[in-house]
Amino acid sequence: MLAHTLFRFFAALSVAVITSASPSVLKLRQSIAPPRNWIDLGRAPSTHVIPLRIALPQHRFLELEQHLVEISDPFHERYGDHLSKEEVEALIAPHATSVDAVHEWLTGHGIQQESCDRSSAAIGSLCMYPLHRRKICLARWNRILTFEFRLWKHTQDGDVLIRTTEYSLPAHLDDHVELIQPTTAFHRAKGQRTSLHFSPTPAAALSPSSDAMITVPGSGVTVNATCNATITVSCLKQLYNADRYIPRATTKNTIGITGYLEQFANFEDLQKFYADQVPNAVNTSFDVALTNGGCYPPPPFLFEMIITGLWNFYEGGLNSQNISQAGEEADLDVQFGFGISSPTPGRYFSTGGRPQFTPDANTPTDTNEPYSNWLDFILAQKNIPQTISTSYGDDEQTVPKDLARRVCNGFAALGARGTSLLFSSGDGGVGDGNADPASQTCFTNDGKNQTKFLPGFPASCPYVTAVGGTVHIPEVAVNFSGGGFSNYFPRPDWQHRAVTKYLKSLPKGTYAGLFNHNGRAIPDVSAQAVNFRIFFRGHPAHVSGTSASSPSFAAFVALLNDARIAEGKSSLGFLNPLIYKLEGEGFNDITTGNAPGCGTPGFNATTGWDPVTGWGTPNFEKLKEIVLDC
């Protein structure tokens, strides 16, 4: 602590010196309490290099938001009239005066423009990534921002981050800098997954083969009885009334899956999955897009299949991520997302880096949170998938509010360009994402340690569609389906009617003080989430979680986009205004079940929208008729 005190003293002294030569004084820009479950390990190595993102204000974002509302409203004359890449960039580009002010400030500290990478104007920010040829170490950032980067360790899983709890900026930059991260961001993306277990049963024995069928009340569809034990592509197509649909716009429509934390979807696993569940897709694959240093092992197709062993040996000597390595999250997302929507082309986004730091590594690296990096990349592309699913998230409170809003704005920009974004709602009910209710803490992260329900992010962003989970046939809410109300984002207008109705149905005083009655509510929709049969590292396995729900629902959205595009219509884009205007039409209403957490039963599923399953699960044929009429 003495070292920390001395540092603060000399930092204050340096502020005084800088101030005397600067046009304005330094101003504390952000200060947070040390987050719960993080302990201070001491000062971070001064020679360590960390990339910082300096985001500039998007002064015309409200205009973009208005465009998004109009083109996403099925009753508006502009419905489906999505914006171009150039139109979006023009709306959220920073002012030139802000760019100049920040460059002048950094130049004054010896950081020249060529030392930094400026991101595309697509996200309207200035991203300061130290280039390899001109590395900027922590010691310099400590002096510039008058804080101290320190090592923080998570007491539960041992992850270590380099972060600070406060930073300052010259007061004259108040109107020119929106945020600088990663500084106070302690969140870590994690796959929304509850369980993975291998089955010793032979593959053929687990495939749907029973002659017994279940008729689903309400929808009238029939489903193979084995689907109550094992979920397959065939099960979901039967259950959600899409087993007769054949895609027609496969040259114009694409579905995307995002991957983080060195998760790779294994090509060999995918072929075994296709042979097991989607025979017509055998020997087909998907494109891989790499960003932020992401990498990917090559597929063993054609002649490469003959020399797989040699390739693995060669690749293993150069890159630890060889063909034999697979991630269960990535395998799940790709196999069901691409399997259901086949033969719609698929694209997997491999975003490099993970938000943790190992101080004893020979060449330690600390990275930004993943979503901003991915948004930098995807918004800079001319052609992007019409549907994208993400099965990663974290507790909303672990993400600084300004960063969460900034990332959310990026999702809005994607929606304006005609992309539907779907995110898993989480696997902790109303709790902290821990699938075991007994292990949930449910305390606020602001130093007050108050008991609160903990919504997840990015699911809580109003510009994405959050997907909860169901189980069994007929369906009920699964007990881990993430749901609740955002503490960062207010409830949007398109959601007000449905959510208000639900809240009025709750007994007065229910969970008083535990959630924000005025917050954006999640989830919006849901899908099956338990006992999905995948292939992982060459063997059949079962996996559960809203990680399964999101890519599955996204695949049906991709098929809806296929139907529209085949008829010469635009893609659906931002889904939520349409979903809520339908008021349940085209969905299977889930009225039974609840998702406990934080020592409570949590919210309950009920008629209409609810914060466990949203509007329910899709009835594809009904939704297809609706979207073709829009």
Side-chain angles (χ1 to χ4, degrees), residues 239-241 526-527 553 556 586-588 616-620 623:
L239 180 61
Y240 298 142
N241 201 12
S526 53
F553 196 100
F556 290 104
F587 290 89
N588 308 310
T617 60
N619 185 317
F620 175 78
L623 286 172

Side-chain angles (χ1 to χ4, degrees), residues 350-364:
S350 177
T351 301
R354 62 171 58 221
Q356 70 178 54
F357 167 70
T358 305
D360 60 356
N362 292 328
T363 55

Side-chain angles (χ1 to χ4, degrees), residues 95-107:
H95 283 171
T97 53
S98 295
V99 175
D100 292 342
V102 172
H103 277 313
E104 181 180 0
W105 167 58
L106 291 174
T107 301

Side-chain angles (χ1 to χ4, degrees), residues 29 79 111 147 218 280 312 320 333 517 581 583 609:
R29 188 59 180 267
Y79 180 69
I111 300 178
F147 58 51
N280 290 338
N312 282 340
S320 61
D333 295 347
H517 286 69
K581 287 288 176 69
E583 295 189 329
W609 180 89

